[in-house]
Amino acid sequence: VKILVVDDSKMQRLIVTNTAQKLGIAAENVREADNGVDALKLVAEFKPDLLLADVTMPGMSGIDLVESVVAAGSPPKIGIITSSATQEIRDKAKKFGVLFVLAKPFTVNDLKKALEEIL
Amino acid sequence: VREVDELVNGFIEGTKKTFEISLGYKKIKVKEVSDTLPDELFGAWLSISSKGSDLGIILFSDPMGCQKISEDFLKHQTSNKSLLPELDVADAMGELLNMIGGVFVQNRDKQGEKYSLGFPVFLDGQLSGIRPHRPTILRFEGIGKTKTHLAVFTVESEGA
């Protein structure tokens, strides 16, 4: 399983990456991007099975990223991890087929549970 | 325009929830409330916008306190001390503040009130670009042994 983690916070990327590795995903199968534009390129090159994206990021938002990835066709599974987990964001995420929206702050167990359910 | 005091409880809840979940501190309480910001600020600030008013929040401590909070955040969330060399205090303080604001925004959203988060800005001594209006400064205890504060205020741009 290949995962792409997109968050402008290095700390959050570390937390998500570390949790994915604890679930048995090899380090070389987890890539990171700190913005939506780089993430779009990585989706095309790395071809992740799962995209985990923040929403509020400079430049391209996580929702815009998800919309672009879905529009490009054959999207990976997608999860959103965000402090902005409002109903509006949840509705947009649902529209694009996002499998879960995890609100920050979250426990490591919350994240493990969300990942285990879709991997 | 709503008075900041009406909204402060939402940020107290956000601070307690964020530090309990992200750092494991379960006995956090407000020890002191004041209305004067110190001359030097180390931490991060965040704008939170709505139709009615723009709010700002600042999470601050002394430099050692910021370092300790960041270390505890990483240790608690990863249980992996080997990641500490990757510690980025500015990023960690900004992310914690983002989550405090996020709890506020999510709770207000459930009541039909729309707020949106800006991007956290790290503070390395000076607050520039904004003029806090009528700040409420909350000093917390129970965040390790740090002297950690949260300031809540309405925002006036410096050009205003």
Side-chain angles (χ1 to χ4, degrees):
Chain A
V1 177
K2 294 194 290 184
I3 299 181
L4 176 59
V5 180
V6 190
D7 197 309
D8 57 329
S9 166
K10 178 182 173 185
M11 185 71 86
Q12 284 295 351
R13 295 198 307 275
L14 271 174
I15 291 165
V16 175
T17 299
N18 193 258
T19 303
Q21 289 173 6
K22 281 180 182 168
L23 290 173
I25 296 162
E28 63 267 26
N29 285 333
V30 183
R31 296 275 180 90
E32 298 177 19
D34 65 6
N35 65 80
V37 175
D38 288 351
L40 264 183
K41 290 178 193 163
L42 274 172
V43 168
E45 294 166 11
F46 178 56
K47 301 191 187 312
D49 302 296
L50 173 62
L51 169 65
L52 295 174
D54 185 17
V55 169
T56 309
M57 297 184 287
M60 176 183 271
S61 79
I63 292 294
D64 290 341
L65 167 65
V66 169
E67 184 173 12
S68 297
V69 168
V70 171
S74 303
K77 292 177 180 175
I78 302 171
I80 294 281
I81 302 173
T82 181
S83 293
S84 303
T86 60
Q87 193 56 49
E88 182 183 0
I89 294 296
R90 290 180 186 279
D91 290 344
K92 285 181 181 173
K94 190 176 178 185
K95 179 180 148 192
F96 294 124
V98 170
L99 295 175
F100 68 82
V101 175
L102 181 60
K104 297 176 185 175
F106 57 83
T107 65
V108 173
N109 279 340
D110 293 333
L111 178 57
K112 276 184 183 170
K113 191 178 169 195
L115 294 179
E116 282 170 345
E117 282 177 4
I118 62 171
L119 290 176
Chain B
V1 178
R2 298 179 73 154
E3 296 296 332
V4 169
D5 289 351
E6 286 182 61
L7 307 171
V8 165
N9 283 339
F11 289 108
I12 293 173
E13 184 185 345
T15 304
K16 287 180 176 178
K17 185 173 179 181
T18 296
F19 278 94
E20 178 172 347
I21 291 176
S22 299
L23 286 86
Y25 294 136
K26 294 178 179 170
K27 293 181 179 173
I28 296 171
K29 59 183 181 183
V30 176
K31 186 178 183 185
E32 204 175 281
V33 182
S34 66
D35 59 8
T36 308
L37 282 165
D39 292 335
E40 284 199 313
L41 288 165
F42 297 92
W45 89 272
L46 176 72
S47 65
I48 302 174
S49 306
S50 76
K51 275 187 179 174
S53 61
D54 283 350
L55 301 172
I57 54 176
I58 306 172
L59 178 66
F60 65 97
S61 186
D62 52 66
M64 288 300 291
C66 293
Q67 173 81 17
K68 181 75 172 70
I69 287 167
S70 304
E71 284 181 7
D72 287 355
F73 181 23
L74 189 57
K75 280 184 202 165
H76 186 73
Q77 290 289 71
T78 67
S79 311
N80 188 343
K81 289 181 182 174
S82 69
L83 290 175
L84 276 180
E86 297 191 53
L87 185 68
D88 182 332
V89 174
D91 177 71
M93 292 299 287
E95 188 60 10
L96 286 167
L97 186 60
N98 188 51
M99 290 191 279
I100 291 169
V103 173
F104 174 84
V105 168
Q106 290 162 37
N107 285 342
R108 289 283 158 179
D109 185 65
K110 288 173 191 164
Q111 297 169 32
E113 297 177 23
K114 303 294 178 196
Y115 287 85
S116 59
L117 297 173
F119 297 107
V121 178
F122 184 61
L123 296 172
D124 192 17
Q126 297 300 316
L127 181 66
S128 60
I130 55 161
R131 238 182 3 225
H133 178 64
R134 292 190 61 203
T136 299
I137 295 105
L138 308 159
R139 157 99 188 269
F140 287 92
E141 72 173 18
I143 300 178
K145 291 179 181 175
T146 66
K147 291 178 180 175
T148 300
H149 301 74
L150 186 81
V152 183
F153 53 90
T154 51
V155 175
E156 293 177 352
S157 67
E158 285 204 327

